Amino acid sequence: MRYRICNARPGLTGEGDPMIESLLLNLERRDVLSASEHALLRKAMIKERRVAKGEDLVSEGSRPTSSTLLVEGFAARYKITQDGSRQITALHVEGDFVDLHAFLLKTMDHGIVALSPCRVLLADHDELRQITENSPHLARLLWLDTLVHGSIHRAWIVAMGRRSKASHLAHIVCELYVRLQVTGKVDGQSFYLPLSQAEMADVMGLSLVHMNRVIQEMRRNGLISWMNQMVTILDWERLRTLAEFDPTYLNLWIEPR
């Protein structure tokens, strides 16, 4: 049976602040937020910014005074090696705080780049500090947000180190499908993915030639279609089995936190 995400809390869609609705959808897949907590999140957002494809949302070595919420587009966390190679270590979709950890780490040890035209909101660190001091439940949910990204990172390490390349790609596709489903960004079993094969190679640590072979193998096996920046899952059960995909690490259930 195909895995499904249940609907967000009734009444949220269309009633939340449209500027932060994707964040609310993410947080409220894990616990219920009060109206006052909605207001605190709105208050924390001090600025909107549009970012062109290929531009950094946050640069390595910078010391941000705000954290960046992605509300439109795709972004990636990355590191550049001394020989100029790039390794993408995380993919971010709308509703993600891409650098909430900068609130405490202060200096960024990696960059975050736009993989498509992006729109972001900036959450002032002074306002986040007020949330941590005066709204412990909301602070725990924001902490949980960073913990989920840590869980995703662990899943990626296992996939890169211990799975076949086809299984690794299958896991990424399954994960993105589920994460995008939370914010309503899938159409049936299809979703928009504006990554080139070269960018996908940077995600998986492969050469472009090897990346192309992996994609073609999955197409031949009738698992996915990938055309014009649209990925369609053709056989969810076979793809999930190949990926050994278990969404537990995404923590997508509502309970008191």
Side-chain angles (χ1 to χ4, degrees), residues 67-230:
S67 286
T68 303
L69 172 66
L70 182 61
V71 295
E72 285 182 11
F74 284 74
R77 198 182 306 277
Y78 73 94
K79 291 282 289 186
I80 302 292
T81 64
Q82 288 189 351
D83 68 1
S85 300
R86 181 176 71 170
Q87 179 64 52
I88 289 176
T89 63
L91 292 174
H92 287 290
V93 299
E94 70 174 59
D96 285 355
F97 261 119
V98 301
D99 64 340
L100 191 56
H101 55 285
F103 171 48
L104 292 177
L105 293 181
K106 305 303 183 186
T107 301
M108 291 289 290
D109 63 354
H110 59 279
I112 301 168
V113 64
L115 297 177
S116 69
C118 291
R119 185 165 66 98
V120 302
L121 296 176
L122 303 182
D124 181 70
H125 283 174
D126 288 338
E127 295 290 344
L128 292 178
R129 184 173 293 105
Q130 290 296 316
I131 288 174
T132 63
E133 293 173 355
N134 301 318
S135 184
H137 176 251
L138 182 54
R140 290 194 298 272
L141 285 184
L142 293 176
W143 181 18
L144 177 61
D145 184 75
T146 65
L147 294 176
V148 169
H149 288 302
S151 296
I152 292 171
H153 188 64
R154 288 190 292 276
W156 277 39
I157 290 173
V158 173
M160 181 172 285
R162 293 297 178 184
R163 293 199 172 102
S164 70
K165 297 309 178 185
S167 178
H168 185 185
L169 179 58
H171 196 277
I172 291 171
V173 171
C174 288
E175 178 189 290
L176 286 174
Y177 176 71
V178 172
R179 289 170 65 193
L180 289 166
Q181 209 174 19
V182 171
T183 53
K185 293 299 180 181
V186 301
D187 181 8
Q189 290 188 282
S190 300
F191 60 91
Y192 172 63
L193 185 62
L195 275 72
S196 66
Q197 288 193 18
E199 289 165 333
M200 205 67 211
D202 286 348
V203 171
M204 295 184 58
L206 300 176
S207 69
L208 181 56
V209 171
H210 196 173
M211 186 70 246
N212 180 264
R213 287 174 182 162
V214 175
I215 294 172
Q216 293 305 322
E217 176 187 347
M218 294 185 69
R219 284 172 169 161
R220 284 194 304 271
N221 290 334
L223 295 172
I224 63 169
S225 168
W226 193 339
M227 297 180 62
N228 300 321
Q229 301 186 328
M230 290 296 296

Side-chain angles (χ1 to χ4, degrees), residues 3 65 76 122 150 248:
Y3 173 79
T65 58
L122 303 182
T248 301

